[in-house]
Amino acid sequence: PTKDEEDNDKHVFVNFCHPNSLWCRRLDWAWERFAQRAMEYHLPVSIRTVDCGALLPSSGDSSSSSSSSFDTDDEDELQLQLQLLCKNITSFPTLRWYCNGTHSGADYHYHRSVKHFMEYAGTKLGKRIYLRAWHDNGVRPVLYVIQPSPLYKIARQHHDRKGGGGGGG
């Protein structure tokens, strides 16, 4: 894609969570820190958390939407549409990438760390990211270069061949 096409894409990385999930609570710190880093590095992606606890249908509710996309530029409407997607979530936390309102590829099933989230975002955005970190002695800054990783693409292809493609993309 050209630079103009990339700038026109709307990327959203969503953490669908549940307040009763220990795994969601353990992810909170890394997810919040990742959102801060994404803003610091001016990544063109919106990092969202959707609390599905009160939004899940009761066991007697037969109405279910199979849609896994949204289409809006309004922030409040976007949050509402993301909440409606909770009906399609079967485990928590579920980390899902959307591009232009459409679920883009398989759900994220890799390491739950800021560094790995940044690498994944760089891969999805097709961008090289330079992370500054502190050396073990806490004095000397070190520069880590995160390049778009082919490993996520290979894992995705392997996942698709096994028949676990999930959403569209």
Side-chain angles (χ1 to χ4, degrees), residues 83-135:
Q83 290 172 348
L84 292 174
L85 294 177
C86 284
K87 291 181 178 181
N88 300 323
I89 305 299
T90 57
S91 64
F92 299 102
T94 294
L95 304 176
R96 209 168 261 180
W97 188 279
Y98 293 88
C99 180
N100 294 325
T102 303
H103 181 205
S104 177
D107 292 342
Y108 179 90
H109 292 291
Y110 307 102
H111 294 284
R112 307 295 170 96
S113 70
V114 175
K115 178 182 179 268
H116 288 94
F117 290 147
M118 291 292 285
E119 182 176 332
Y120 183 73
T123 299
K124 290 300 241 180
L125 296 168
K127 294 182 180 280
R128 183 177 297 161
I129 301 170
Y130 298 90
L131 289 180
R132 287 179 302 279
W134 292 100
H135 200 279

Side-chain angles (χ1 to χ4, degrees), residues 44 63 73 81-82 129 132:
S63 65
D73 287 330
Q81 289 184 16
L82 287 172
I129 301 170
R132 287 179 302 279

Side-chain angles (χ1 to χ4, degrees), residues 5 8-12 69-71 98-103:
E5 288 172 343
N8 290 332
D9 288 345
K10 183 170 184 169
H11 297 277
V12 182
S69 64
F70 52 87
D71 181 25
Y98 293 88
C99 180
N100 294 325
T102 303
H103 181 205

